[in-house]
Amino acid sequence: MNVESFREYCLQKKGVTEEFPFDEHTLVFKVCGKMFALCGLERMPFQVNLKCDPERAIRLREEFDGKITGPYHMSKTHWNTIFPESLPPALVREMIDHSYDLVVKGLTKKQQQELQ
Protein backbone atom coordinates (compact mmCIF):
# COMPACT_ATOMS: atom_id res chain seq x y z
CA MET A 1 0.00 0.00 0.00
CA ASN A 2 1.40 3.37 -0.99
CA VAL A 3 0.70 6.80 0.52
CA GLU A 4 -2.14 7.60 -1.88
CA SER A 5 -4.07 4.40 -1.22
CA PHE A 6 -3.38 4.77 2.52
CA ARG A 7 -4.83 8.29 2.47
CA GLU A 8 -7.88 7.25 0.43
CA TYR A 9 -8.64 4.36 2.79
CA CYS A 10 -8.39 6.55 5.89
CA LEU A 11 -10.64 9.24 4.41
CA GLN A 12 -13.39 6.70 3.62
CA LYS A 13 -14.07 6.26 7.33
CA LYS A 14 -16.87 8.20 9.04
CA GLY A 15 -15.93 11.52 10.60
CA VAL A 16 -12.29 11.48 9.48
CA THR A 17 -10.38 14.68 8.82
CA GLU A 18 -6.82 15.18 7.66
CA GLU A 19 -4.53 17.96 8.75
CA PHE A 20 -0.93 19.01 9.29
CA PRO A 21 -0.84 20.02 12.99
CA PHE A 22 2.90 19.46 13.51
CA ASP A 23 4.56 20.57 10.27
CA GLU A 24 3.97 20.57 6.52
CA HIS A 25 5.38 17.03 6.14
CA THR A 26 3.42 15.08 8.77
CA LEU A 27 -0.09 14.18 7.63
CA VAL A 28 -2.44 13.34 10.53
CA PHE A 29 -5.81 11.62 10.34
CA LYS A 30 -8.31 12.26 13.11
CA VAL A 31 -11.79 11.14 14.05
CA CYS A 32 -13.72 13.65 16.16
CA GLY A 33 -10.48 15.52 16.78
CA LYS A 34 -8.59 12.43 18.03
CA MET A 35 -5.59 11.13 16.12
CA PHE A 36 -5.65 7.55 14.84
CA ALA A 37 -3.00 7.65 12.08
CA LEU A 38 -0.13 9.78 10.93
CA CYS A 39 2.52 9.56 8.28
CA GLY A 40 5.59 11.50 7.31
CA LEU A 41 5.17 12.38 3.65
CA GLU A 42 8.92 12.72 3.08
CA ARG A 43 9.91 9.52 4.89
CA MET A 44 11.55 6.89 2.71
CA PRO A 45 10.57 4.15 2.86
CA PHE A 46 6.95 5.18 3.45
CA GLN A 47 5.94 4.61 7.08
CA VAL A 48 2.82 5.15 9.14
CA ASN A 49 2.05 5.31 12.87
CA LEU A 50 -1.17 3.59 13.96
CA LYS A 51 -2.75 3.18 17.36
CA CYS A 52 -2.79 -0.43 18.57
CA ASP A 53 -3.89 -2.52 21.52
CA PRO A 54 -0.73 -2.98 23.67
CA GLU A 55 -0.67 -6.79 23.63
CA ARG A 56 -1.40 -6.94 19.95
CA ALA A 57 1.31 -4.34 19.26
CA ILE A 58 3.93 -6.63 20.78
CA ARG A 59 2.70 -9.68 18.84
CA LEU A 60 2.74 -7.77 15.55
CA ARG A 61 6.27 -6.47 16.15
CA GLU A 62 7.47 -10.01 16.82
CA GLU A 63 5.66 -11.52 13.84
CA PHE A 64 6.66 -8.79 11.37
CA ASP A 65 10.10 -7.93 12.72
CA GLY A 66 11.45 -4.84 10.99
CA LYS A 67 8.19 -4.22 9.10
CA ILE A 68 6.26 -3.25 12.25
CA THR A 69 8.22 -1.49 15.00
CA GLY A 70 7.78 0.70 18.04
CA PRO A 71 7.43 4.35 17.02
CA TYR A 72 10.28 6.77 17.56
CA HIS A 73 8.47 9.79 19.08
CA MET A 74 5.26 8.22 20.36
CA SER A 75 4.11 5.83 23.05
CA LYS A 76 5.54 2.43 22.21
CA THR A 77 2.79 0.90 24.33
CA HIS A 78 -0.15 2.21 22.30
CA TRP A 79 1.31 2.90 18.85
CA ASN A 80 3.18 1.02 16.10
CA THR A 81 5.16 2.23 13.14
CA ILE A 82 4.41 0.15 10.08
CA PHE A 83 6.00 0.03 6.63
CA PRO A 84 2.89 -0.46 4.45
CA GLU A 85 4.71 -1.18 1.21
CA SER A 86 6.31 -4.27 2.76
CA LEU A 87 3.10 -5.68 4.30
CA PRO A 88 0.02 -7.33 2.76
CA PRO A 89 -2.54 -4.60 1.90
CA ALA A 90 -5.30 -6.52 3.72
CA LEU A 91 -3.23 -6.45 6.93
CA VAL A 92 -2.56 -2.72 6.57
CA ARG A 93 -6.29 -2.03 6.07
CA GLU A 94 -7.12 -4.17 9.10
CA MET A 95 -4.58 -2.28 11.21
CA ILE A 96 -6.05 1.06 10.08
CA ASP A 97 -9.51 -0.24 11.03
CA HIS A 98 -8.21 -1.37 14.41
CA SER A 99 -6.63 2.02 15.10
CA TYR A 100 -9.78 3.89 14.06
CA ASP A 101 -11.98 1.57 16.17
CA LEU A 102 -9.79 2.05 19.26
CA VAL A 103 -10.14 5.82 18.99
CA VAL A 104 -13.89 5.66 18.37
CA LYS A 105 -14.27 3.37 21.38
CA GLY A 106 -12.60 6.05 23.53
CA LEU A 107 -14.95 8.82 22.37
CA THR A 108 -17.83 10.03 24.48
CA LYS A 109 -21.22 8.40 23.92
CA LYS A 110 -22.42 11.63 22.33
CA GLN A 111 -19.51 11.68 19.86
CA GLN A 112 -20.06 8.02 19.04
CA GLN A 113 -23.75 8.68 18.34
CA GLU A 114 -22.87 11.63 16.10
CA LEU A 115 -20.66 9.33 14.02
CA GLN A 116 -23.58 6.97 13.42
Side-chain angles (χ1 to χ4, degrees), residues 70-84:
Y72 185 64
H73 285 296
M74 299 180 78
S75 167
K76 290 170 182 49
T77 303
H78 297 281
W79 291 85
N80 274 335
T81 295
I82 68 166
F83 296 84

Side-chain angles (χ1 to χ4, degrees), residues 54-72:
E55 290 179 17
R56 183 171 187 221
I58 293 167
R59 285 194 312 271
L60 286 168
R61 290 177 203 161
E62 290 171 353
E63 184 176 348
F64 298 96
D65 188 30
K67 297 176 183 177
I68 299 176
T69 64
Y72 185 64

Side-chain angles (χ1 to χ4, degrees), residues 42-104:
E42 294 190 337
R43 292 268 187 171
M44 293 299 156
F46 173 55
Q47 55 189 281
V48 174
N49 286 359
L50 296 170
K51 199 162 181 79
C52 191
D53 171 76
E55 290 179 17
R56 183 171 187 221
I58 293 167
R59 285 194 312 271
L60 286 168
R61 290 177 203 161
E62 290 171 353
E63 184 176 348
F64 298 96
D65 188 30
K67 297 176 183 177
I68 299 176
T69 64
Y72 185 64
H73 285 296
M74 299 180 78
S75 167
K76 290 170 182 49
T77 303
H78 297 281
W79 291 85
N80 274 335
T81 295
I82 68 166
F83 296 84
E85 294 172 321
S86 64
L87 294 167
L91 174 64
V92 175
R93 287 189 296 273
E94 193 278 325
M95 292 176 69
I96 294 167
D97 294 344
H98 176 69
S99 181
Y100 176 87
D101 292 343
L102 282 174
V103 172
V104 169

Side-chain angles (χ1 to χ4, degrees), residues 19-27 39-42:
E19 54 190 77
F20 291 88
F22 305 117
D23 58 40
E24 66 275 5
H25 306 292
T26 307
L27 179 58
C39 62
L41 297 177
E42 294 190 337

